[in-house]
Amino acid sequence: MASIILAAPLEGWVTPLEAVPDPVFAGRMMGDGVAIDPTGDTLHAPCAGRIIGLQASRHAITIETDDGAQILIHIGIDTVALNGTGFTTLVAVGDRVAAGDALIRFDLDLLVREASAVVTPILLTDATGFTLTDIAPAGWVKIGAPLMTLHTMAAEPAPAPDHNATPQADTTTTARRTLRIGLPHGIHARPAARIAALARETSATLTIEKDGRSASARSLTGLLGLSIALGDEIAVVAQGEDAATAADTLVTLLASGMNEAPDPVVTVVQPEDTTPLPDGALRGVCAAPGLAVGLVRHHQVSDVEVPREGRGEATERTAFDTALAALRTDIATQSATLKGPAREILVAHEGLLDDPDLHAATEAGIARGESAGFAWRAAIRTQADILRAGGNARLAERAGDLLDLERRLLALLVGGTSERHAYPAGTILIADDLLPSDLIAIADGLGGLCIARGGPTSHVAILAASMALPTLVAVGDAALAIPEGARIVLDANSGIVLPTPDARQIADAEAEQAAAARKRAEALAQASIACHTADGIRIEVFANLGAAVEAAPAVANGAEGCGLLRTEFLFLERDTAPTVAEQHHDYQAIADALEGRPLIVRLLDIGGDKPAPYLAMAPEENPALGLRGIRVGLAHTALLEDQLRAILAVKPIGQCRIMLPMISRVEEVRSVRLVLDRLRDELGITTAIELGIMVETPAAAVTADTLAREADFLSIGTNDLTQYTLAMDRANPAVASALDGLHPSVLRLIDQTCRGGATRGRWTGVCGSLASDPLAVPILLGLGVTELSAAPGVVPTIKACVRALTMEACRDHARAALACASATEVRALARRFAAQEIPA
């Protein structure tokens, strides 16, 4: 075994790879090695060799030793975005260099100002045939000092040819795809690492070609050497039995954007909340409304200790597989006892456990000699960092789910169980962050949650809302300084915490709590009574449902039916479409639980942000405007017919009404009506089946009178109608906080929908989030809405709100709202109306 010492190419502070603030480097996706945080301005060669790669942006260089080892040095993090500014190359591709030769000069001050970090990884990009030892520990290092030792392992002797063997037929197939690169900085280090990881997972041989040159997709240095930039046309070539699938998978990855943000990144700063705070109060973000007064307990969970070094590859693989199987069993057992969001979140965790990227990264770590626990933790945290860095707030909040799985599996690996905590009733729990399994295990008896970090769309926030547990998130580190045992006031309605309330503030909060409890009790006591306004106008209050287990609790809360059954729960998280029998079983169970009350079934609404793996749907540049909603059903008619057959089989016939999602054209309604009528004839059904539409696009709202000729009812999905009207993606954190369904433009479309439906004698309902907002309800009634489908838990509150209103007051209020200039004005108007018209 030959070996050479790789010398430090920079002076600075040695940093282990896992501390590099980039998940691709930290997760060793590009290779093993170490990093240096530099203090100088010149990069030197760590060894003798030949320059085989130099990025066009001059921030990364690759040296190949005489034994064939390839050493990549990447100056700084995100420095590709500088497009070469601040870098001067002193060598060219093909040059031979000696150890210590100057390679690149760089403007360190510029990099400190413009790059996300200047720490510089030095990596062995392909360990095949090589190993690294004696990696320098964290600490100061000078140029030329030993950094690590590279060993060249003896090659295995090739087997002797068998001259008597029967020649095998050549079954190799070739697939070729061309595409134009849309990555803002081309294929640089991060995209190259992901391409190489994908290429290693397939049995096919993948090659990328550009301008007559080619490189193996498994070779990081080869990919970087192609200098593929934004707008370049490349060819993906795959060879092998699985060639077509491999080529298509790589093209899909390249076309996805790979979470590569364009440069510059535009940051939208929302106006600061200028509402005066009480003395000493802390501000947070409301994740679940409510008010709590109680004693503080701090929720603290320590990391499970795991060794870095493994006990042998076979032993660690067995330990990992055993722990993985045990965790799957634990989650399946736990989810079987839960319902609603808690069960859905655990089902999502089951899906995450099967993520091939997590398994591949863990197995790679075990192969490097790491323990299963250390490799699992590195794999999880790499993926979590990628989610946080992707620019999508909702995806960033899913990082907590990954960390939840990390901790639960590590506990099984070390032979224990996840920590369990019990807190006294009424406790206000303070945590730096909280994981879904924590809350599921400890929620009983809590009075409220105060979380320093997190976000309002995290799974913990969703769980807290479903549990009616007052919760503030993003309160900041000041929350962690509140003493254990302190009596505090958590007012999630106002978004504040009072860490040191005086006697009057505590008394006021307790009085408000008591009043709210009385109102809830009164609303629940009358929830089963049919809903009318104070002047006798009938308003139906239904519940939105997403699974069979939610139906009975909704009825107990006074729901007069289901105004929106989201059927996606049957179609997602599975490899094949559900059969007619499977669908009918669930629809019938919900109909039975509703005890004859109306059941409005929304046909499958997938596409966009809800893909199904068994439907062939090409990647779309803008999925929200592409193949989604009823367009999917009309494109996959067998899927549509199966769902209609399952609904028509529900007894009694006529209890189910059918609703079409994402309608924008009258032709769509007519097409489904033809299929429905044909199936009714085939099944001998003479009872009329109501067919309605969801109004989620401005097109549907402004042509409501035309659509009402074909549809039996109209139901407004205010969430999508708002995002399409305001042209703001509700999943985009730069604009999502400005979305408000009470914007006057949205209200005017609701008004136009109600008037259009009335011209044909059709009723109009609302099944979006505005139907669950007591401030919005009077405006909706005043505009002409006669059916509200709300979240099951707020049905009693909405019915109580309606009973306190007169239609004359609602119509006057709605006219005033339509005249407002902004959503802020509408909400201020709505608060004044509620204070005057709705009893406290």
Side-chain angles (χ1 to χ4, degrees):
M1 177 185 290
S3 62
I4 60 172
I5 294 175
L6 299 180
L10 297 159
E11 183 170 354
W13 189 266
V14 175
T15 303
L17 278 188
E18 52 265 30
V20 174
D22 183 288
V24 169
F25 293 115
R28 292 178 167 80
M29 293 175 67
M30 296 198 67
D32 200 7
V34 74
I36 296 176
D37 204 348
T39 57
D41 63 0
T42 304
L43 177 73
H44 297 262
C47 60
R50 184 172 62 90
I51 305 299
I52 64 167
L54 183 59
Q55 285 286 89
S57 46
R58 302 192 288 276
H59 71 290
I61 193 168
T62 304
I63 302 173
E64 185 176 67
T65 69
D66 291 339
D67 289 332
Q70 296 179 355
I71 309 299
L72 169 69
I73 307 173
H74 191 287
I75 303 173
I77 305 300
D78 292 328
T79 42
V80 64
L82 297 176
N83 294 316
T85 302
F87 295 95
T88 302
T89 54
L90 307 175
V91 291
V93 173
D95 288 354
R96 284 201 60 83
V97 294
D101 284 354
L103 305 177
I104 300 174
R105 287 202 181 94
F106 51 91
D107 186 336
L108 184 60
D109 290 339
L110 174 70
L111 267 59
V112 169
R113 290 195 311 271
E114 301 295 335
S116 61
V118 295
V119 63
T120 297
I122 302 100
L123 308 171
L124 171 65
T125 59
D126 186 350
T128 305
F130 303 95
T131 59
L132 288 176
T133 64
D134 305 323
I135 297 176
W140 193 261
V141 68
K142 291 189 174 183
I143 295 172
L147 189 64
M148 47 191 166
T149 303
L150 173 69
H151 302 278
T152 305
M153 296 182 290
E156 294 285 340
D162 184 356
H163 299 291
N164 298 317
T166 302
Q168 298 294 312
D170 185 4
T171 59
T172 300
T173 59
T174 300
R176 184 182 182 87
R177 309 284 187 266
T178 59
L179 76 156
R180 196 167 295 280
I181 293 296
L183 302 173
H185 303 301
I187 296 180
H188 59 100
R190 275 195 302 267
R194 293 186 60 187
I195 292 166
L198 183 150
R200 294 184 193 111
E201 292 174 359
T202 179
S203 60
T205 301
L206 282 166
T207 303
I208 292 181
E209 299 178 354
K210 176 202 166 188
D211 296 339
R213 295 183 298 137
S214 66
S216 167
R218 299 187 182 194
S219 169
L220 285 169
T221 52
L223 292 173
L224 296 176
L226 293 178
S227 299
I228 299 171
L230 172 67
D232 284 351
E233 185 175 282
I234 67 167
V236 171
V237 181
Q239 289 185 307
E241 293 183 6
D242 205 22
T245 300
D248 290 340
T249 302
L250 180 51
V251 167
T252 299
L253 175 66
L254 290 165
S256 72
M258 301 170 75
N259 290 329
E260 288 289 305
D263 182 54
V265 176
V266 178
T267 301
V268 176
V269 179
Q270 296 299 330
E272 185 178 353
D273 188 345
T274 57
T275 307
L277 283 175
D279 289 344
L282 306 177
R283 194 186 299 281
V285 176
C286 177
L291 180 70
V293 179
L295 300 181
V296 165
R297 293 290 185 273
H298 285 269
H299 183 73
Q300 295 177 332
V301 178
S302 56
D303 274 350
V304 178
E305 293 288 338
V306 291
R308 176 165 187 156
E309 299 299 323
R311 299 161 294 173
E313 187 171 343
T315 300
E316 294 299 334
R317 284 185 185 279
T318 300
F320 176 66
D321 291 342
T322 302
L324 197 61
L327 182 53
R328 283 197 186 99
T329 300
D330 285 352
I331 292 176
T333 301
Q334 190 178 19
S335 63
T337 65
L338 299 171
K339 61 186 179 183
R343 183 179 182 279
E344 293 168 11
I345 288 166
L346 287 178
V347 169
H349 283 193
E350 287 183 282
L352 285 173
L353 273 183
D354 292 325
D355 188 305
D357 288 346
L358 292 178
H359 288 204
T362 303
E363 289 166 2
I366 291 172
R368 289 194 298 268
E370 297 167 357
S371 71
F374 187 89
W376 174 249
R377 172 169 282 161
I380 285 282
R381 296 198 176 181
T382 296
Q383 289 298 319
D385 288 344
I386 289 171
L387 289 179
R388 293 190 186 104
N392 184 313
R394 291 177 186 269
L395 287 180
E397 289 172 358
R398 297 293 86 82
D401 298 288
L402 289 170
L403 298 178
D404 203 335
L405 292 175
E406 173 200 312
R407 199 172 70 200
R408 296 186 69 176
L409 190 131
L410 290 182
L412 291 167
L413 273 171
V414 300
T417 58
S418 298
E419 294 180 62
R420 291 288 181 262
H421 301 266
Y423 297 101
T427 292
I428 296 180
L429 195 65
I430 294 180
D432 181 58
D433 207 346
L434 202 63
L435 301 179
S437 64
D438 290 331
L439 185 52
I440 291 170
I442 65 180
D444 288 348
L446 289 183
L449 291 177
C450 177
I451 301 176
R453 311 198 190 287
T457 63
S458 69
H459 273 159
V460 164
I462 293 168
L463 279 172
S466 73
M467 298 168 178
L469 185 63
T471 299
L472 283 180
V473 297
V475 181
D477 289 339
L480 305 178
I482 300 175
E484 184 89 358
R487 188 173 178 81
I488 69 171
V489 174
L490 185 145
D491 185 354
N493 300 321
S494 302
I496 62 171
V497 179
L498 301 178
T500 55
D502 56 34
R504 181 187 59 78
Q505 288 172 321
I506 290 175
D508 288 348
E510 289 176 335
E512 188 175 339
Q513 269 187 310
R518 282 196 305 272
K519 287 184 70 173
R520 283 195 300 272
E522 291 167 1
L524 191 57
Q526 300 183 59
S528 61
I529 303 171
C531 190
H532 295 78
T533 62
D535 50 353
I537 304 300
R538 179 76 169 100
I539 303 294
E540 294 180 305
V541 181
F542 289 0
N544 296 334
L545 301 178
V549 294
E550 299 174 7
V555 171
N557 273 340
E560 300 174 43
C562 170
L564 167 64
L565 175 62
R566 306 179 188 93
T567 58
E568 295 74 55
F569 75 99
L570 275 166
F571 290 82
L572 300 177
E573 305 296 338
R574 55 185 296 157
D575 297 325
T576 58
T579 64
V580 173
E582 287 176 313
Q583 293 186 62
H584 171 247
H585 176 272
D586 275 50
Y587 301 152
Q588 187 66 61
I590 296 170
D592 292 344
L594 291 175
E595 300 172 344
R597 296 171 178 84
L599 170 56
I600 300 178
V601 183
R602 181 178 71 185
L603 294 188
L604 181 61
D605 183 16
I606 60 174
D609 61 344
K610 294 177 287 188
Y614 48 83
L615 288 182
M617 297 173 66
E620 297 179 285
E621 184 173 347
N622 193 337
L625 300 181
L627 196 62
R628 61 166 298 191
I630 196 58
R631 300 167 190 170
V632 175
L634 293 173
H636 298 271
T637 53
L639 204 67
L640 172 65
E641 290 196 16
D642 280 356
Q643 188 168 25
L644 290 174
R645 288 181 188 276
I647 296 168
L648 290 173
V650 173
K651 302 293 189 295
I653 295 172
Q655 180 182 357
C656 285
R657 305 169 186 173
I658 297 168
M659 185 160 65
L660 310 182
M662 282 298 295
I663 290 295
S664 59
R665 300 179 299 134
V666 72
E667 293 89 348
E668 294 164 336
V669 187
R670 289 172 179 163
S671 296
V672 178
R673 176 78 75 178
L674 286 172
V675 177
L676 178 62
D677 288 346
R678 173 169 55 79
L679 294 178
R680 285 177 57 221
D681 289 342
E682 288 179 13
L683 298 170
I685 297 173
T686 57
T687 304
I689 306 297
E690 291 191 40
L691 181 68
I693 66 167
M694 287 196 71
V695 176
E696 301 167 277
T697 65
V702 299
T703 59
D705 56 338
T706 302
L707 291 168
R709 296 174 186 167
E710 309 292 335
D712 297 313
F713 62 89
L714 313 173
S715 187
I716 302 170
T718 53
N719 300 354
D720 271 327
L721 181 62
T722 300
Q723 80 162 345
Y724 289 128
T725 301
L726 299 181
M728 293 180 178
D729 182 355
R730 55 186 176 173
N732 184 335
V735 297
S737 60
L739 282 168
D740 193 329
L742 287 181
H743 191 284
S745 61
V746 180
L747 296 181
R748 293 184 187 191
L749 289 175
I750 295 172
D751 176 51
Q752 196 162 356
T753 301
C754 292
R755 287 189 285 108
T759 63
R760 305 294 172 184
R762 310 303 192 202
W763 61 264
T764 298
V766 170
C767 59
S769 59
L770 284 189
S772 299
D773 185 347
L775 285 180
V777 166
I779 298 173
L780 297 176
L781 300 191
L783 294 175
V785 170
T786 58
E787 182 254 17
L788 300 165
S789 191
V794 301
V795 166
T797 300
I798 297 302
K799 294 181 85 169
C801 174
V802 171
R803 291 192 183 103
L805 302 169
T806 66
M807 287 306 301
E808 182 181 1
C810 288
R811 292 187 186 106
D812 289 344
H813 182 41
R815 280 193 291 271
L818 292 175
C820 288
S822 67
T824 302
E825 287 186 20
V826 173
R827 288 206 171 269
L829 176 73
R831 283 191 288 270
R832 291 195 298 271
F833 179 87
Q836 295 165 4
E837 300 292 333
I838 302 175

